[in-house]
Amino acid sequence: MTRHEREIHTPAEFDAVIARGSLLGYRVQSVDLTDRTFALLSTPTADAVFLGCALQPEAAAKVRGDGALVFPPVPDLPFDPYRARLYSPGELFDGVEDEGYEASPDFRSYDWFQRTKADGDVFASMLRSVHDDAISDALDELLDGARVVGVMGGHAMGRGGDAYAGAARLGRSLARTGLTVATGGGPGAMEAANLGAYTAPLADDVLEEALELLGKAPSFTPSVTEWARAAFDVRSRWPEGGDSVGIPTWFYGHEPPNPFAGHIAKYFANATREDGLLARCDAGVIFLPGAAGTVQEIFDNTTPNYYESRGGPTPMVLVNTAHWTERLPAWPLLQSLAADRPMAARIALVDSIDEAPEALRRLSPGR
């Protein structure tokens, strides 16, 4: 079995394995097993690992006696460090409709992070690391076999503007070609691309209507609550939207995750999040105008393309010539690095966002 085939994430999966007569070597991840004591008492569990599973005392004693490892649930946390799946928008924003953003698991996790990140407590740092590793594992499972294209850009791009609408059209166009759209998961350009992917299976006029509704709450400042409620109003009106991925971080706690990514891989460690996001964009990355974070992403992506440490270089498309040659001149440096290397055939600078999908297609290997 592969490592993922040895993982048990749900009670139904647990029951199916139990029916085969052995839990030897399995990893049971965040499953409530309090009503499955008899099954555990009557099944071999040597070399199994129970991560955050609720167990009756006699079941816990028995599996430990078999030689299994038991990592018990951690009480009083606003997140599950052993979680088996990525977050959904509804999960992170639970409570926002009735009580406001400050009541949501997303805010409470950020608040916990702020209180613990500087206290030097090895237990808190261990919990953050375990959580982030579980998120990476779930992300690998979700994207297995998918062709992933990244859309990067700044959080300051407001709803209601032409730039936001263009980024949404870009996300829709990419999703309609069969690519999985992945973003940094935050507001602005990131939200717009996830919104576009959400509307991809719907009629074209849905995006225009959604943009108009969202324009009533153009920014997550001053109120994340109103910004989020507007997004959930759109999701409620058109509940059959498409999937995409958002990969945000509590490190930038002032930026909430956007509700249009169907799967949200939220991390505590920004370095882990950045590397994981870019490494999974095997179909290339489109960089919209942004500031320091987007510049960092350009060169985080450039380094493995330069050294070919992940295989052949993947496409990189920078959008807006004036932005990337004058305001923040990343393009000249990128060209200089790429000169006389295979990555030179995988980079492009385009003037408008509507040119980006064709540029990506042109740069893709085997086109």
PDB file of all heavy atoms in Angstrom, residues 8 15 26 43-44 59 66 69 98 114 156 179 184-185 200 215 232 235 241 310 315 332 350 359:
ATOM      1  N   ILE A   8      -6.665   6.489   7.297  1.00  0.00           N
ATOM      2  CA  ILE A   8      -8.105   6.383   7.537  1.00  0.00           C
ATOM      3  C   ILE A   8      -8.593   7.739   8.031  1.00  0.00           C
ATOM      4  O   ILE A   8      -8.120   8.238   9.058  1.00  0.00           O
ATOM      5  CB  ILE A   8      -8.410   5.288   8.578  1.00  0.00           C
ATOM      6  CG1 ILE A   8      -7.987   3.920   8.043  1.00  0.00           C
ATOM      7  CG2 ILE A   8      -9.883   5.296   8.941  1.00  0.00           C
ATOM      8  CD1 ILE A   8      -8.105   2.804   9.061  1.00  0.00           C
ATOM      9  N   ASP A  15     -14.496   1.514   9.289  1.00  0.00           N
ATOM     10  CA  ASP A  15     -15.320   0.307   9.297  1.00  0.00           C
ATOM     11  C   ASP A  15     -14.937  -0.639   8.166  1.00  0.00           C
ATOM     12  O   ASP A  15     -14.934  -1.867   8.339  1.00  0.00           O
ATOM     13  CB  ASP A  15     -16.798   0.681   9.183  1.00  0.00           C
ATOM     14  CG  ASP A  15     -17.317   1.412  10.425  1.00  0.00           C
ATOM     15  OD1 ASP A  15     -16.661   1.319  11.485  1.00  0.00           O
ATOM     16  OD2 ASP A  15     -18.372   2.064  10.322  1.00  0.00           O
ATOM     17  N   TYR A  26      -1.834   0.943   9.999  1.00  0.00           N
ATOM     18  CA  TYR A  26      -2.664   2.034   9.500  1.00  0.00           C
ATOM     19  C   TYR A  26      -2.453   3.307  10.320  1.00  0.00           C
ATOM     20  O   TYR A  26      -2.011   3.271  11.469  1.00  0.00           O
ATOM     21  CB  TYR A  26      -4.147   1.638   9.530  1.00  0.00           C
ATOM     22  CG  TYR A  26      -4.575   0.855   8.311  1.00  0.00           C
ATOM     23  CD1 TYR A  26      -4.444  -0.531   8.272  1.00  0.00           C
ATOM     24  CD2 TYR A  26      -5.102   1.495   7.196  1.00  0.00           C
ATOM     25  CE1 TYR A  26      -4.827  -1.263   7.152  1.00  0.00           C
ATOM     26  CE2 TYR A  26      -5.494   0.780   6.071  1.00  0.00           C
ATOM     27  CZ  TYR A  26      -5.351  -0.588   6.057  1.00  0.00           C
ATOM     28  OH  TYR A  26      -5.738  -1.302   4.941  1.00  0.00           O
ATOM     29  N   THR A  43      -9.523  -6.291  17.294  1.00  0.00           N
ATOM     30  CA  THR A  43      -8.772  -6.164  16.040  1.00  0.00           C
ATOM     31  C   THR A  43      -7.307  -5.883  16.336  1.00  0.00           C
ATOM     32  O   THR A  43      -6.989  -5.026  17.165  1.00  0.00           O
ATOM     33  CB  THR A  43      -9.348  -5.020  15.183  1.00  0.00           C
ATOM     34  OG1 THR A  43     -10.745  -5.260  14.957  1.00  0.00           O
ATOM     35  CG2 THR A  43      -8.633  -4.924  13.841  1.00  0.00           C
ATOM     36  N   PRO A  44      -6.372  -6.558  15.645  1.00  0.00           N
ATOM     37  CA  PRO A  44      -4.946  -6.256  15.828  1.00  0.00           C
ATOM     38  C   PRO A  44      -4.621  -4.821  15.392  1.00  0.00           C
ATOM     39  O   PRO A  44      -5.076  -4.374  14.336  1.00  0.00           O
ATOM     40  CB  PRO A  44      -4.253  -7.270  14.912  1.00  0.00           C
ATOM     41  CG  PRO A  44      -5.253  -8.355  14.684  1.00  0.00           C
ATOM     42  CD  PRO A  44      -6.585  -7.702  14.722  1.00  0.00           C
ATOM     43  N   ALA A  59     -10.172   1.158  25.223  1.00  0.00           N
ATOM     44  CA  ALA A  59      -9.686   1.002  23.860  1.00  0.00           C
ATOM     45  C   ALA A  59      -8.293   1.600  23.721  1.00  0.00           C
ATOM     46  O   ALA A  59      -7.409   1.019  23.078  1.00  0.00           O
ATOM     47  CB  ALA A  59     -10.656   1.654  22.877  1.00  0.00           C
ATOM     48  N   ASP A  66      -0.982  -3.157  22.239  1.00  0.00           N
ATOM     49  CA  ASP A  66      -0.625  -3.807  20.976  1.00  0.00           C
ATOM     50  C   ASP A  66       0.666  -3.247  20.382  1.00  0.00           C
ATOM     51  O   ASP A  66       1.270  -3.862  19.499  1.00  0.00           O
ATOM     52  CB  ASP A  66      -1.735  -3.602  19.941  1.00  0.00           C
ATOM     53  CG  ASP A  66      -2.934  -4.511  20.161  1.00  0.00           C
ATOM     54  OD1 ASP A  66      -2.845  -5.411  21.022  1.00  0.00           O
ATOM     55  OD2 ASP A  66      -3.955  -4.326  19.459  1.00  0.00           O
ATOM     56  N   LEU A  69       0.767   3.673  18.466  1.00  0.00           N
ATOM     57  CA  LEU A  69       1.028   5.000  19.026  1.00  0.00           C
ATOM     58  C   LEU A  69      -0.286   5.770  19.064  1.00  0.00           C
ATOM     59  O   LEU A  69      -1.048   5.761  18.089  1.00  0.00           O
ATOM     60  CB  LEU A  69       2.042   5.761  18.183  1.00  0.00           C
ATOM     61  CG  LEU A  69       3.485   5.264  18.223  1.00  0.00           C
ATOM     62  CD1 LEU A  69       4.346   6.074  17.255  1.00  0.00           C
ATOM     63  CD2 LEU A  69       4.052   5.380  19.634  1.00  0.00           C
ATOM     64  N   ASP A  98     -24.105  35.246  11.862  1.00  0.00           N
ATOM     65  CA  ASP A  98     -24.875  35.621  13.053  1.00  0.00           C
ATOM     66  C   ASP A  98     -24.085  36.444  14.060  1.00  0.00           C
ATOM     67  O   ASP A  98     -24.618  37.379  14.672  1.00  0.00           O
ATOM     68  CB  ASP A  98     -25.419  34.366  13.747  1.00  0.00           C
ATOM     69  CG  ASP A  98     -26.345  33.559  12.846  1.00  0.00           C
ATOM     70  OD1 ASP A  98     -27.090  34.178  12.071  1.00  0.00           O
ATOM     71  OD2 ASP A  98     -26.293  32.316  12.917  1.00  0.00           O
ATOM     72  N   GLN A 114      -1.389  34.514  17.509  1.00  0.00           N
ATOM     73  CA  GLN A 114      -0.787  35.749  18.010  1.00  0.00           C
ATOM     74  C   GLN A 114      -0.352  35.608  19.466  1.00  0.00           C
ATOM     75  O   GLN A 114       0.685  36.125  19.866  1.00  0.00           O
ATOM     76  CB  GLN A 114      -1.792  36.901  17.890  1.00  0.00           C
ATOM     77  CG  GLN A 114      -2.044  37.347  16.462  1.00  0.00           C
ATOM     78  CD  GLN A 114      -0.791  37.920  15.825  1.00  0.00           C
ATOM     79  OE1 GLN A 114      -0.133  37.237  15.027  1.00  0.00           O
ATOM     80  NE2 GLN A 114      -0.443  39.120  16.169  1.00  0.00           N
ATOM     81  N   ALA A 156      -4.592  44.093  -2.252  1.00  0.00           N
ATOM     82  CA  ALA A 156      -5.195  45.424  -2.246  1.00  0.00           C
ATOM     83  C   ALA A 156      -6.164  45.652  -3.402  1.00  0.00           C
ATOM     84  O   ALA A 156      -6.875  46.659  -3.419  1.00  0.00           O
ATOM     85  CB  ALA A 156      -4.100  46.485  -2.273  1.00  0.00           C
ATOM     86  N   LEU A 179      -7.855  23.260 -16.008  1.00  0.00           N
ATOM     87  CA  LEU A 179      -6.812  23.456 -15.006  1.00  0.00           C
ATOM     88  C   LEU A 179      -7.431  23.707 -13.629  1.00  0.00           C
ATOM     89  O   LEU A 179      -8.537  24.243 -13.514  1.00  0.00           O
ATOM     90  CB  LEU A 179      -5.933  24.647 -15.378  1.00  0.00           C
ATOM     91  CG  LEU A 179      -5.111  24.500 -16.663  1.00  0.00           C
ATOM     92  CD1 LEU A 179      -4.481  25.844 -17.039  1.00  0.00           C
ATOM     93  CD2 LEU A 179      -4.029  23.446 -16.496  1.00  0.00           C
ATOM     94  N   GLY A 184      -3.029  32.352  -3.521  1.00  0.00           N
ATOM     95  CA  GLY A 184      -2.615  32.525  -2.137  1.00  0.00           C
ATOM     96  C   GLY A 184      -3.763  32.571  -1.167  1.00  0.00           C
ATOM     97  O   GLY A 184      -3.547  32.664   0.051  1.00  0.00           O
ATOM     98  N   GLY A 185      -4.994  32.519  -1.669  1.00  0.00           N
ATOM     99  CA  GLY A 185      -6.155  32.308  -0.819  1.00  0.00           C
ATOM    100  C   GLY A 185      -6.694  33.523  -0.097  1.00  0.00           C
ATOM    101  O   GLY A 185      -7.659  33.400   0.656  1.00  0.00           O
ATOM    102  N   ALA A 200     -16.930  29.303 -13.238  1.00  0.00           N
ATOM    103  CA  ALA A 200     -16.588  28.675 -14.524  1.00  0.00           C
ATOM    104  C   ALA A 200     -17.669  27.736 -15.047  1.00  0.00           C
ATOM    105  O   ALA A 200     -17.955  27.740 -16.249  1.00  0.00           O
ATOM    106  CB  ALA A 200     -15.240  27.952 -14.410  1.00  0.00           C
ATOM    107  N   GLY A 215     -19.347  44.226  -5.286  1.00  0.00           N
ATOM    108  CA  GLY A 215     -18.912  45.614  -5.269  1.00  0.00           C
ATOM    109  C   GLY A 215     -19.506  46.435  -4.151  1.00  0.00           C
ATOM    110  O   GLY A 215     -18.996  47.510  -3.802  1.00  0.00           O
ATOM    111  N   PHE A 232     -20.602  35.205   0.820  1.00  0.00           N
ATOM    112  CA  PHE A 232     -21.502  34.087   1.083  1.00  0.00           C
ATOM    113  C   PHE A 232     -22.885  34.320   0.476  1.00  0.00           C
ATOM    114  O   PHE A 232     -23.585  33.363   0.138  1.00  0.00           O
ATOM    115  CB  PHE A 232     -21.579  33.799   2.582  1.00  0.00           C
ATOM    116  CG  PHE A 232     -20.404  33.014   3.079  1.00  0.00           C
ATOM    117  CD1 PHE A 232     -19.371  33.633   3.771  1.00  0.00           C
ATOM    118  CD2 PHE A 232     -20.302  31.653   2.829  1.00  0.00           C
ATOM    119  CE1 PHE A 232     -18.269  32.918   4.216  1.00  0.00           C
ATOM    120  CE2 PHE A 232     -19.201  30.919   3.271  1.00  0.00           C
ATOM    121  CZ  PHE A 232     -18.180  31.550   3.962  1.00  0.00           C
ATOM    122  N   ARG A 235     -22.359  32.971  -2.964  1.00  0.00           N
ATOM    123  CA  ARG A 235     -22.337  31.507  -2.932  1.00  0.00           C
ATOM    124  C   ARG A 235     -23.739  30.935  -2.720  1.00  0.00           C
ATOM    125  O   ARG A 235     -24.087  29.909  -3.302  1.00  0.00           O
ATOM    126  CB  ARG A 235     -21.397  31.004  -1.830  1.00  0.00           C
ATOM    127  CG  ARG A 235     -19.914  31.254  -2.090  1.00  0.00           C
ATOM    128  CD  ARG A 235     -19.060  30.613  -0.989  1.00  0.00           C
ATOM    129  NE  ARG A 235     -19.234  29.169  -1.019  1.00  0.00           N
ATOM    130  CZ  ARG A 235     -18.371  28.314  -1.558  1.00  0.00           C
ATOM    131  NH1 ARG A 235     -17.261  28.768  -2.123  1.00  0.00           N
ATOM    132  NH2 ARG A 235     -18.597  27.024  -1.529  1.00  0.00           N
ATOM    133  N   GLY A 241     -21.228  26.262  -7.773  1.00  0.00           N
ATOM    134  CA  GLY A 241     -19.994  26.764  -8.364  1.00  0.00           C
ATOM    135  C   GLY A 241     -18.903  25.720  -8.445  1.00  0.00           C
ATOM    136  O   GLY A 241     -18.990  24.636  -7.863  1.00  0.00           O
ATOM    137  N   ARG A 310      13.156  20.998  -9.495  1.00  0.00           N
ATOM    138  CA  ARG A 310      11.906  20.245  -9.509  1.00  0.00           C
ATOM    139  C   ARG A 310      11.643  19.645 -10.889  1.00  0.00           C
ATOM    140  O   ARG A 310      10.508  19.344 -11.226  1.00  0.00           O
ATOM    141  CB  ARG A 310      10.735  21.154  -9.112  1.00  0.00           C
ATOM    142  CG  ARG A 310      10.810  21.698  -7.694  1.00  0.00           C
ATOM    143  CD  ARG A 310       9.617  22.598  -7.408  1.00  0.00           C
ATOM    144  NE  ARG A 310       9.733  23.224  -6.091  1.00  0.00           N
ATOM    145  CZ  ARG A 310       9.387  24.477  -5.828  1.00  0.00           C
ATOM    146  NH1 ARG A 310       8.901  25.250  -6.788  1.00  0.00           N
ATOM    147  NH2 ARG A 310       9.506  24.962  -4.599  1.00  0.00           N
ATOM    148  N   PRO A 315       6.082  27.339 -16.760  1.00  0.00           N
ATOM    149  CA  PRO A 315       5.803  28.683 -17.290  1.00  0.00           C
ATOM    150  C   PRO A 315       5.590  29.732 -16.203  1.00  0.00           C
ATOM    151  O   PRO A 315       4.992  29.466 -15.160  1.00  0.00           O
ATOM    152  CB  PRO A 315       4.517  28.473 -18.099  1.00  0.00           C
ATOM    153  CG  PRO A 315       4.517  27.034 -18.464  1.00  0.00           C
ATOM    154  CD  PRO A 315       5.137  26.332 -17.301  1.00  0.00           C
ATOM    155  N   PRO A 332      13.165  42.721 -15.720  1.00  0.00           N
ATOM    156  CA  PRO A 332      14.550  42.729 -16.200  1.00  0.00           C
ATOM    157  C   PRO A 332      15.447  41.749 -15.450  1.00  0.00           C
ATOM    158  O   PRO A 332      16.301  41.079 -16.061  1.00  0.00           O
ATOM    159  CB  PRO A 332      15.001  44.180 -15.988  1.00  0.00           C
ATOM    160  CG  PRO A 332      13.738  44.968 -16.010  1.00  0.00           C
ATOM    161  CD  PRO A 332      12.716  44.083 -15.366  1.00  0.00           C
ATOM    162  N   VAL A 350       3.318  40.184 -20.468  1.00  0.00           N
ATOM    163  CA  VAL A 350       2.219  40.641 -21.326  1.00  0.00           C
ATOM    164  C   VAL A 350       1.635  41.920 -20.756  1.00  0.00           C
ATOM    165  O   VAL A 350       1.739  42.188 -19.549  1.00  0.00           O
ATOM    166  CB  VAL A 350       1.121  39.564 -21.474  1.00  0.00           C
ATOM    167  CG1 VAL A 350       1.689  38.313 -22.140  1.00  0.00           C
ATOM    168  CG2 VAL A 350       0.495  39.217 -20.129  1.00  0.00           C
ATOM    169  N   ALA A 359      -0.604  33.283 -23.464  1.00  0.00           N
ATOM    170  CA  ALA A 359       0.824  33.240 -23.155  1.00  0.00           C
ATOM    171  C   ALA A 359       1.166  31.979 -22.381  1.00  0.00           C
ATOM    172  O   ALA A 359       2.191  31.329 -22.649  1.00  0.00           O
ATOM    173  CB  ALA A 359       1.228  34.479 -22.367  1.00  0.00           C
TER     174      ALA A 359
END
